[in-house]
Amino acid sequence: MKNILKKKLEEKHIKILMTIVMAVFICIAIFALSFFIFDAVTKKRPAQIRQECTQLKEFEWVRSDKRVPVSLPCDLKTAKGENVVLETILPESITEDTWIDYYSSKETRIYVDGELRKEFNPRINTIIGGTVKSFHMYIELYPEDSGKVLRIERKGEAFGENSFREMYIGNSLGLIARILYSDSLFFIFTISLLIVSPITIGIGVFLRVYKKMKSPITAIGIGVLFVALWLIFDSQMYQFAFRSYYIDGTMSFIMMLLVPYPFAYYLNMLQKNRYRQNYIFLLIILEIASIVFFIIHFTGTCDFMTMLPVMMIFTGLVIVGAGVTLFVDFKKGLYKEYRFSFIGIIGFMFSCILEMIFLIAIENRHDGSFIIFGLYWTLVLGIVHQLVELREAKAEKAIAIRASETKSNFLANMSHEIRTPMNAILGMDEMILREAKNNEKIMKYATDIKSAGNMLLAIINDILDLSKIESGKAELIETDFEICSVINDLINITRKKALDKGLTYSFDADPNLPIRMHGDEIRIRQIMLNVMNNAVKYTVTGGISINVLLEPNIGDEKAMMIVSVKDTGIGIKDEDKEFLFESFSRLEETKNRNIEGTGLGLNISNKYIEMMGGYIEVESEYNKGSKFTLYIPVTVVDPTPIGDFTDAVRKMNEEREDYRTIIMAPGAHVLVVDDNEMNLEVICGLMESTKIKVDTALSGPEGIEKADHTRYDLIFLDQMMPGMDGVTTLEIMRSKYDMRGVSVIALTADAVVGAKEYYLSKGFDGYLSKPVKSEELEKTLITFLPKNLLLSKDEIERIAIKDDERKDEKNKTTESLPGILVIDSDPESLKTVKNEIKDTYKGTFVTDIDKANKFLEKHETKYIMISRELYEKKMRNEVENG
Ligand code: ADP
């Protein structure tokens, strides 16, 4: 309590202190402001600061026959080429530090009392075509010049039009202050535009390059830059800031010719190319005119200054054209697409008009403040426009990401949903293949189902891959792998297809290929298989040849595996090559209609190979053939060369033969948990030949319950089960029972990259993807069942022989049994009868009389057994029909 009170008091003190600090600050600020206002208003200037500047206005124009009084500024009309001489009497009271400020660009001599004080000859130092712009010349006066004659001799203009600006007399401070007052604010604002515009351009380029956004502000930035340069070159301050006056006279004209381009580009971008042709047309006219202006100016025929009105007309033409498009957009309501920039440009145009009005209304006014304001206005609104677009793009991106996530989820779910029934189809089909060995027709049907089913699975996998890649979730899983095994499998898959089509198939592997490498084996297989399959698919005559070699040491301890696949197939048109790696893009669709494919393979391959840091090179000639070269970076693990490839493969296959013994483990007890009965049937069927005792459970809790009673050697646990999923089931099992030595394998339908790692991290020992393939299942059993439960090769053979004998025996006995046709509409009773008579009769079981009649048309049977109900029905029918 005491503490809290103390704290509250402290807080109160701090607040009082803060208020005092703020109050003192405000007082000082108010004092400073009042001090300034008092000083400024009462204009108390110390007498030492002398700022003198008055206009020297009244002159006499000295002509050969008379003296004409003139008042500066003025325009004097002379005969062509006649020089102009002006004279005036200097004031009586000239003190130290007195100067005359004379503003001109013409060849001039200035005399005081007949003594030459200043000479300016613009022809000295000019570069070709350089125009000297007007600049300030300063002539120093001394006390003894008081009341003397000031004489200005100026070379006459070729056309007899001589323009004189204001002339000033004063001390240096006064003359400089005058220029600062008249021009500096304009100059500073223009310079600031010169700084802001490159920043705007930079932001625009950044957005374009990194955000892949359209960035009209780049164009407006460039436009503003040119106008700013134009104004600066034209400014009176230029000579003080840059100490040059020769070329800048020309530069301002060149800038003026350049200005319309970025603005037209800017507008065109905003208007989404609606008036592109009009702009191109106007700019071409301006370009032709500009070239003519350049030639005329730089050959010295006539300078830019003289051509200015004509140049203005051409520049104005583009501006008028732009104005018309803006008007049309306004009328159609299209301006709303770029309303901020629209207001910006209209503001700029308005500022230009104001500037012109003031220029005409007030003679010799050189200000440009309206234009500067207009430029800032456009620039700011252009940036606002870009910011709005950026925000919208962000929102759109978020929506797109959400949509893409939804798509990915949908695809993942869909693939799961399809893979689950496919598991049943392919599993059952596998059992048909095993059981129907003697029936060729059924075997053919089952083989067709298998190949179509596998193709469907491949398509689903492709779509799943694509969605992973697009959502950025695809990752590489690198392991050590044996290149011989990869190549051998791929050859096994593709060679048969090629030979079946009557194509030649040649394969060559560099004997120096290292035995073991490190990389994403599954993806490498996938990429190679895709390209090899394509070569077979898109080749009608001739053949395909494959070559694998390794370029060692490409840096980063990596080597480059180079796989080239060449075919003499249909080839690819040059114009189609750019679409080759796009998703769902199949070239020449009509021609290739009969060739199966989705147009996804190369897209996926290309993306995976890029993730690995490699690339695909394509050379192809239409109707002649193609060559796809894969550059795959790998790490060499064991550099021992593979030597002759055929030998290496033979050796590897021998090792594999040993490994691939048929497995049998009559002593093993396995539990399979899956909510789908058909899947349970498939997996049990696939394990039938292994003689393993298999228990099944239809849910997680049922599995847990079963594991309570029995100690299983191996448990297969489905992931996606309603109620309790596999991961939870496993957690409960592991917490409840001693599961040491019991391996648990995850069964899952989502063939997602990284799924295996996920399940291992969740405590599973292995992972089996659905549809379960018999070889994979066998491999899993061999790996995870306790070794002492697996029968040896000899034992298996012995049992297999015995089984065959028993089967033959059974077949024989069944053949010799008397035939019986059982008719009953209730399938359950049929099943019971079937079990009852299986050892005494060779039975045929049907559910209605029609089927029985059909059977009897073609077969003979010794006995017929019919249910009472059907028998009575038959009798009734016969009586009714007479
Ligand atoms: P698809 O599943 O259609 O084969 P891919 O992405 O693998 O999809 O290939 C895209 C397209 O590129 C094919 O549809 C085919 O038009 C063309 N193509 C690919 N490989 C070859 C080849 N070796 N020869 C000719 N055309 C090919």
PDB file of all heavy atoms in Angstrom, residues 16 117 130 158 223 362 415 439 474 504-505 580 583 592 660 792 818 845:
ATOM      1  N   ILE A  16       4.381  16.959 -13.223  1.00  0.00           N
ATOM      2  CA  ILE A  16       4.554  18.412 -13.002  1.00  0.00           C
ATOM      3  C   ILE A  16       5.830  18.886 -13.685  1.00  0.00           C
ATOM      4  O   ILE A  16       5.849  19.882 -14.400  1.00  0.00           O
ATOM      5  CB  ILE A  16       4.609  18.728 -11.480  1.00  0.00           C
ATOM      6  CG1 ILE A  16       3.226  18.438 -10.876  1.00  0.00           C
ATOM      7  CG2 ILE A  16       5.003  20.183 -11.230  1.00  0.00           C
ATOM      8  CD1 ILE A  16       3.183  18.489  -9.368  1.00  0.00           C
ATOM      9  N   ARG A 117      36.577  49.697 -70.364  1.00  0.00           N
ATOM     10  CA  ARG A 117      36.562  49.018 -69.062  1.00  0.00           C
ATOM     11  C   ARG A 117      36.180  47.528 -69.195  1.00  0.00           C
ATOM     12  O   ARG A 117      36.557  46.706 -68.379  1.00  0.00           O
ATOM     13  CB  ARG A 117      35.537  49.679 -68.132  1.00  0.00           C
ATOM     14  CG  ARG A 117      35.929  51.058 -67.645  1.00  0.00           C
ATOM     15  CD  ARG A 117      36.964  50.952 -66.526  1.00  0.00           C
ATOM     16  NE  ARG A 117      37.482  52.240 -66.175  1.00  0.00           N
ATOM     17  CZ  ARG A 117      36.915  53.049 -65.281  1.00  0.00           C
ATOM     18  NH1 ARG A 117      35.810  52.680 -64.682  1.00  0.00           N
ATOM     19  NH2 ARG A 117      37.436  54.209 -65.026  1.00  0.00           N
ATOM     20  N   GLY A 130      27.152  26.296 -80.360  1.00  0.00           N
ATOM     21  CA  GLY A 130      26.913  26.796 -79.003  1.00  0.00           C
ATOM     22  C   GLY A 130      26.273  28.172 -79.060  1.00  0.00           C
ATOM     23  O   GLY A 130      26.681  29.022 -79.846  1.00  0.00           O
ATOM     24  N   ALA A 158      21.791  41.080 -86.802  1.00  0.00           N
ATOM     25  CA  ALA A 158      21.667  40.931 -88.246  1.00  0.00           C
ATOM     26  C   ALA A 158      20.298  41.422 -88.732  1.00  0.00           C
ATOM     27  O   ALA A 158      20.182  41.971 -89.824  1.00  0.00           O
ATOM     28  CB  ALA A 158      21.880  39.478 -88.627  1.00  0.00           C
ATOM     29  N   GLY A 223      10.632  12.851 -67.141  1.00  0.00           N
ATOM     30  CA  GLY A 223      10.017  14.055 -67.692  1.00  0.00           C
ATOM     31  C   GLY A 223      10.338  15.270 -66.831  1.00  0.00           C
ATOM     32  O   GLY A 223      10.795  16.307 -67.334  1.00  0.00           O
ATOM     33  N   ILE A 362       3.256  40.165 -68.460  1.00  0.00           N
ATOM     34  CA  ILE A 362       4.310  40.968 -67.820  1.00  0.00           C
ATOM     35  C   ILE A 362       5.582  40.797 -68.637  1.00  0.00           C
ATOM     36  O   ILE A 362       6.161  39.714 -68.679  1.00  0.00           O
ATOM     37  CB  ILE A 362       4.542  40.496 -66.371  1.00  0.00           C
ATOM     38  CG1 ILE A 362       3.211  40.531 -65.608  1.00  0.00           C
ATOM     39  CG2 ILE A 362       5.592  41.347 -65.683  1.00  0.00           C
ATOM     40  CD1 ILE A 362       3.255  39.823 -64.289  1.00  0.00           C
ATOM     41  N   SER A 415      -5.706 -35.191 -54.795  1.00  0.00           N
ATOM     42  CA  SER A 415      -4.790 -36.291 -55.093  1.00  0.00           C
ATOM     43  C   SER A 415      -4.945 -37.383 -54.036  1.00  0.00           C
ATOM     44  O   SER A 415      -4.919 -38.569 -54.335  1.00  0.00           O
ATOM     45  CB  SER A 415      -3.365 -35.778 -55.170  1.00  0.00           C
ATOM     46  OG  SER A 415      -2.651 -36.113 -54.037  1.00  0.00           O
ATOM     47  N   ASN A 439      -5.263 -67.514 -67.180  1.00  0.00           N
ATOM     48  CA  ASN A 439      -6.259 -66.987 -68.099  1.00  0.00           C
ATOM     49  C   ASN A 439      -5.700 -65.765 -68.823  1.00  0.00           C
ATOM     50  O   ASN A 439      -5.617 -64.663 -68.283  1.00  0.00           O
ATOM     51  CB  ASN A 439      -7.520 -66.609 -67.313  1.00  0.00           C
ATOM     52  CG  ASN A 439      -8.667 -66.299 -68.243  1.00  0.00           C
ATOM     53  OD1 ASN A 439      -8.453 -65.846 -69.365  1.00  0.00           O
ATOM     54  ND2 ASN A 439      -9.868 -66.564 -67.769  1.00  0.00           N
ATOM     55  N   ALA A 474       7.865 -26.811 -52.648  1.00  0.00           N
ATOM     56  CA  ALA A 474       8.677 -27.927 -53.126  1.00  0.00           C
ATOM     57  C   ALA A 474      10.082 -27.807 -52.565  1.00  0.00           C
ATOM     58  O   ALA A 474      10.641 -26.713 -52.528  1.00  0.00           O
ATOM     59  CB  ALA A 474       8.728 -27.899 -54.639  1.00  0.00           C
ATOM     60  N   THR A 504      15.091 -47.643 -82.716  1.00  0.00           N
ATOM     61  CA  THR A 504      16.365 -48.131 -82.185  1.00  0.00           C
ATOM     62  C   THR A 504      16.627 -47.417 -80.866  1.00  0.00           C
ATOM     63  O   THR A 504      16.138 -46.314 -80.638  1.00  0.00           O
ATOM     64  CB  THR A 504      17.517 -47.807 -83.149  1.00  0.00           C
ATOM     65  OG1 THR A 504      17.533 -46.400 -83.330  1.00  0.00           O
ATOM     66  CG2 THR A 504      17.350 -48.500 -84.481  1.00  0.00           C
ATOM     67  N   TYR A 505      17.407 -48.091 -80.000  1.00  0.00           N
ATOM     68  CA  TYR A 505      17.617 -47.509 -78.675  1.00  0.00           C
ATOM     69  C   TYR A 505      19.074 -47.711 -78.324  1.00  0.00           C
ATOM     70  O   TYR A 505      19.545 -48.833 -78.227  1.00  0.00           O
ATOM     71  CB  TYR A 505      16.721 -48.253 -77.691  1.00  0.00           C
ATOM     72  CG  TYR A 505      16.698 -47.670 -76.291  1.00  0.00           C
ATOM     73  CD1 TYR A 505      15.665 -46.832 -75.906  1.00  0.00           C
ATOM     74  CD2 TYR A 505      17.681 -47.984 -75.368  1.00  0.00           C
ATOM     75  CE1 TYR A 505      15.621 -46.308 -74.625  1.00  0.00           C
ATOM     76  CE2 TYR A 505      17.648 -47.446 -74.085  1.00  0.00           C
ATOM     77  CZ  TYR A 505      16.614 -46.620 -73.720  1.00  0.00           C
ATOM     78  OH  TYR A 505      16.558 -46.097 -72.448  1.00  0.00           O
ATOM     79  N   LEU A 580       7.941 -24.253 -74.599  1.00  0.00           N
ATOM     80  CA  LEU A 580       8.256 -25.624 -74.222  1.00  0.00           C
ATOM     81  C   LEU A 580       8.167 -25.864 -72.720  1.00  0.00           C
ATOM     82  O   LEU A 580       7.673 -26.894 -72.273  1.00  0.00           O
ATOM     83  CB  LEU A 580       9.682 -25.901 -74.699  1.00  0.00           C
ATOM     84  CG  LEU A 580      10.072 -27.313 -75.005  1.00  0.00           C
ATOM     85  CD1 LEU A 580       9.114 -27.936 -75.976  1.00  0.00           C
ATOM     86  CD2 LEU A 580      11.469 -27.337 -75.590  1.00  0.00           C
ATOM     87  N   SER A 583       3.691 -24.461 -68.203  1.00  0.00           N
ATOM     88  CA  SER A 583       2.855 -25.561 -67.724  1.00  0.00           C
ATOM     89  C   SER A 583       1.635 -25.737 -68.626  1.00  0.00           C
ATOM     90  O   SER A 583       1.118 -24.769 -69.182  1.00  0.00           O
ATOM     91  CB  SER A 583       2.428 -25.320 -66.286  1.00  0.00           C
ATOM     92  OG  SER A 583       1.761 -24.103 -66.173  1.00  0.00           O
ATOM     93  N   ASN A 592      -0.414 -34.035 -82.122  1.00  0.00           N
ATOM     94  CA  ASN A 592       0.006 -34.949 -81.057  1.00  0.00           C
ATOM     95  C   ASN A 592      -1.148 -35.461 -80.207  1.00  0.00           C
ATOM     96  O   ASN A 592      -0.941 -35.938 -79.100  1.00  0.00           O
ATOM     97  CB  ASN A 592       1.008 -34.239 -80.128  1.00  0.00           C
ATOM     98  CG  ASN A 592       2.276 -33.880 -80.860  1.00  0.00           C
ATOM     99  OD1 ASN A 592       2.567 -34.468 -81.898  1.00  0.00           O
ATOM    100  ND2 ASN A 592       2.997 -32.905 -80.356  1.00  0.00           N
ATOM    101  N   ARG A 660      16.047 -59.675 -53.757  1.00  0.00           N
ATOM    102  CA  ARG A 660      14.631 -59.784 -54.059  1.00  0.00           C
ATOM    103  C   ARG A 660      14.104 -61.222 -53.971  1.00  0.00           C
ATOM    104  O   ARG A 660      13.444 -61.709 -54.868  1.00  0.00           O
ATOM    105  CB  ARG A 660      14.347 -59.220 -55.461  1.00  0.00           C
ATOM    106  CG  ARG A 660      14.118 -57.729 -55.432  1.00  0.00           C
ATOM    107  CD  ARG A 660      13.548 -57.253 -56.726  1.00  0.00           C
ATOM    108  NE  ARG A 660      12.443 -58.059 -57.206  1.00  0.00           N
ATOM    109  CZ  ARG A 660      11.227 -58.034 -56.689  1.00  0.00           C
ATOM    110  NH1 ARG A 660      10.956 -57.278 -55.659  1.00  0.00           N
ATOM    111  NH2 ARG A 660      10.272 -58.795 -57.198  1.00  0.00           N
ATOM    112  N   SER A 792      14.326 -68.871 -44.837  1.00  0.00           N
ATOM    113  CA  SER A 792      15.443 -68.803 -45.780  1.00  0.00           C
ATOM    114  C   SER A 792      14.947 -69.131 -47.172  1.00  0.00           C
ATOM    115  O   SER A 792      13.820 -69.604 -47.358  1.00  0.00           O
ATOM    116  CB  SER A 792      16.525 -69.795 -45.370  1.00  0.00           C
ATOM    117  OG  SER A 792      16.034 -71.087 -45.640  1.00  0.00           O
ATOM    118  N   PRO A 818     -18.956 -84.159 -58.512  1.00  0.00           N
ATOM    119  CA  PRO A 818     -20.179 -83.984 -59.299  1.00  0.00           C
ATOM    120  C   PRO A 818     -20.622 -82.523 -59.281  1.00  0.00           C
ATOM    121  O   PRO A 818     -20.464 -81.834 -58.277  1.00  0.00           O
ATOM    122  CB  PRO A 818     -21.203 -84.863 -58.565  1.00  0.00           C
ATOM    123  CG  PRO A 818     -20.673 -85.006 -57.184  1.00  0.00           C
ATOM    124  CD  PRO A 818     -19.200 -84.912 -57.268  1.00  0.00           C
ATOM    125  N   PHE A 845     -23.233 -71.097 -58.427  1.00  0.00           N
ATOM    126  CA  PHE A 845     -24.213 -70.451 -57.557  1.00  0.00           C
ATOM    127  C   PHE A 845     -24.805 -69.241 -58.251  1.00  0.00           C
ATOM    128  O   PHE A 845     -24.069 -68.358 -58.685  1.00  0.00           O
ATOM    129  CB  PHE A 845     -23.543 -70.046 -56.242  1.00  0.00           C
ATOM    130  CG  PHE A 845     -22.867 -71.209 -55.558  1.00  0.00           C
ATOM    131  CD1 PHE A 845     -21.544 -71.555 -55.850  1.00  0.00           C
ATOM    132  CD2 PHE A 845     -23.574 -72.004 -54.657  1.00  0.00           C
ATOM    133  CE1 PHE A 845     -20.933 -72.632 -55.266  1.00  0.00           C
ATOM    134  CE2 PHE A 845     -22.954 -73.077 -54.059  1.00  0.00           C
ATOM    135  CZ  PHE A 845     -21.637 -73.422 -54.365  1.00  0.00           C
TER     136      PHE A 845
END
